[in-house]
Amino acid sequence: MAEYIDKDLLLKDVGDKLSPIYEAFRRVINSQPIADVAMKHGKWLDNVEYVTTLAGVKMRCVVGYKCSLCGRTEIKKEPYCNCGAKMDLE
Ligand SMILES: [Zn+2]
């Protein structure tokens, strides 16, 4: 999966550290094509298992969370899934 950076933050960080070559670097960065990045949004769904107790009572147990887009499971709700989705839907 491609990774994306914040151009303005990178230029500021480089400019602060490498001022003699900063202008040349800034021109190279500013000449790069701009990606049209569409953020995927998803939500964590309860990953449920059913357990029957010794008394014969069937109980619903949440054993983790499942990504609504890719189905990946996690033990806790993370802000992003490994598929790249921002998990901000509820
Ligand atoms: Zn996912």
Side-chain angles (χ1 to χ4, degrees):
M1 177 183 356
E3 295 181 9
Y4 301 94
I5 59 169
D6 184 315
K7 181 177 72 175
D8 293 332
L9 286 177
L10 176 63
L11 288 172
K12 181 184 180 321
D13 196 33
V14 170
D16 290 347
K17 294 182 173 109
L18 304 171
S19 57
I21 62 168
Y22 172 70
E23 275 305 311
F25 184 76
R26 190 185 63 78
R27 282 194 299 274
V28 170
I29 292 295
N30 282 331
S31 68
Q32 299 302 303
I34 297 170
D36 183 13
V37 179
M39 173 67 72
K40 296 188 293 183
H41 297 270
K43 65 180 176 180
W44 292 114
L45 306 170
D46 289 347
N47 188 19
V48 175
E49 288 184 9
Y50 290 91
V51 178
T52 304
T53 66
L54 292 176
V57 177
K58 193 172 184 178
M59 295 180 61
R60 178 183 187 271
C61 299
V62 176
V63 295
Y65 303 96
K66 187 184 301 184
C67 174
S68 63
L69 299 178
C70 72
R72 176 183 167 79
T73 57
E74 290 283 351
I75 294 173
K76 65 178 189 171
K77 293 180 178 179
E78 301 289 348
Y80 292 89
C81 179
N82 280 19
C83 71
K86 185 174 184 178
M87 307 305 277
D88 58 355
L89 298 179
E90 283 300 324

